[in-house]
Amino acid sequence: MSINIIPLMVDSLLMIIAGFSLVYAFDKALSKKVRIILLVTASALILVILYLTGFFLADPARLLH
């Protein structure tokens, strides 16, 4: 039995992207419009991450193949 790591890698990649978006959303060197876009993007990614994490934790057998 092996573990399918692709969903876990995608979840981790989304976490990294959301983290960078949040960091740059508070960078005063960027225009306000860009900061708002980054903040909205980070918020959307956080919601997707929470959904995927709950999806995988609800039935860990999905990660096995």
Side-chain angles (χ1 to χ4, degrees):
M1 185 180 314
S2 62
I3 296 176
N4 186 5
I5 63 167
I6 300 299
L8 299 175
M9 289 174 45
V10 169
D11 202 29
S12 298
L13 180 64
L14 288 175
M15 288 180 199
I16 292 169
I17 294 171
F20 277 113
S21 294
L22 273 177
V23 167
Y24 284 110
F26 296 102
D27 187 5
K28 297 291 183 183
L30 298 173
S31 70
K32 185 171 181 149
K33 182 179 179 181
V34 172
R35 288 187 288 149
I36 290 172
I37 291 171
L38 286 172
L39 191 58
V40 169
T41 303
S43 300
L45 284 173
I46 289 171
L47 291 175
V48 169
I49 290 165
L50 289 174
Y51 174 77
L52 285 176
T53 304
F55 182 75
F56 293 135
L57 289 177
D59 187 14
R62 289 185 183 126
L63 295 175
L64 301 174
H65 61 103

